[in-house]
Amino acid sequence: MTSYSILGAGAIGTALARQFSRKNIRVKIANTRGRESLSDLTAALGINVEATSTQDALKADVVILAVPFDRVPDAVRKAAAWDNRIVVDATNAIKFPEFLPRDLGGRLSTEIVAEAVPGARVVKGFNTLPAAALARVPDDHGRRVVFLSGNNSPANAEVAVLANALGYAPIVLGSLSDGKSAQFGGALMVHDLTSHD
């Protein structure tokens, strides 16, 4: 069975953890403050969401990065060899307090994230919607659309399967370059779309 973890228990990490819990898919969640700080969250979400250490979370087959963009290198520093495991980049490169895209010298933020996880297959996803929308339970009006992109097609497909299992409607845009419109500041940001398929 594929193992999943979420690194980061802020708004985005918590929103995704709620969907794992709702769909009875087991996931581990970790933050920099330690597992004890997550006891209220895991008690609320039930047995499918387990608090763990950062080091343990980094061992999962699929690791979702839900930490601030600048903290990614430090957050993944203790990871063992990635060995082709999947990292889902749910971060956004935001310049505060202006809340504008960071100047990355023409590079995509996920390309920079990928450098911090050498040997991993990196997929951009779950970053275009506000946390409140990600956490919302789908209703009869359709499933919430999430956009995915990455340079490894099988990894994109595997994350699409996960997104579908969580109740979302994944749209795979293709490579990271093909999916640049779903990077922060792109045309696909903050559009709460639903699929009726």
Side-chain angles (χ1 to χ4, degrees):
M1 246 175 83
T2 303
S3 59
Y4 301 103
S5 71
I6 300 169
L7 204 56
I12 296 295
T14 297
L16 290 171
R18 289 188 188 284
Q19 301 294 21
F20 274 91
S21 174
R22 190 176 65 83
K23 288 294 190 173
N24 294 314
I25 302 171
R26 296 190 66 83
V27 67
K28 292 184 177 182
I29 189 167
N31 64 9
T32 55
R33 298 186 306 279
R35 68 180 78 189
E36 294 79 15
S37 68
L38 298 169
S39 57
D40 287 347
L41 176 65
T42 54
L45 294 184
I47 61 169
N48 288 310
V49 180
E50 177 188 347
T52 192
S53 66
T54 297
Q55 198 155 2
D56 186 46
L58 289 168
K59 296 175 182 175
D61 299 320
V62 177
V63 178
I64 301 172
L65 295 180
V67 297
F69 174 74
D70 287 335
R71 296 186 191 167
V72 168
D74 192 55
V76 300
R77 183 171 38 89
K78 295 182 179 178
W82 287 98
D83 289 334
N84 225 30
R85 291 182 289 127
I86 293 175
V87 169
V88 180
D89 173 23
T91 72
N92 283 311
I94 302 170
K95 181 182 180 183
F96 293 107
E98 298 89 342
F99 207 75
L100 294 170
R102 292 270 298 278
D103 182 1
L104 301 175
R107 303 182 69 201
L108 300 175
S109 64
T110 306
E111 293 172 337
I112 295 171
V113 168
E115 290 178 350
V117 290
R121 296 177 293 158
V122 180
V123 178
K124 186 72 170 180
F126 304 115
N127 66 299
T128 61
L129 290 173
L134 271 181
R136 203 171 298 135
V137 176
D139 54 29
D140 293 338
H141 302 297
R143 295 179 300 142
R144 196 149 278 106
V145 171
V146 293
F147 298 101
L148 307 175
S149 59
N151 294 337
N152 183 281
S153 295
N156 291 347
E158 190 169 333
V159 177
V161 169
L162 170 63
N164 187 66
L166 292 174
Y168 300 110
I171 295 178
V172 178
L173 300 172
S175 69
L176 289 177
S177 178
D178 293 334
K180 63 185 176 182
S181 57
Q183 301 266 330
F184 188 74
L188 295 176
M189 288 297 299
V190 202
H191 290 292
D192 191 359
L193 307 173
T194 53
S195 171
H196 301 276
D197 59 357

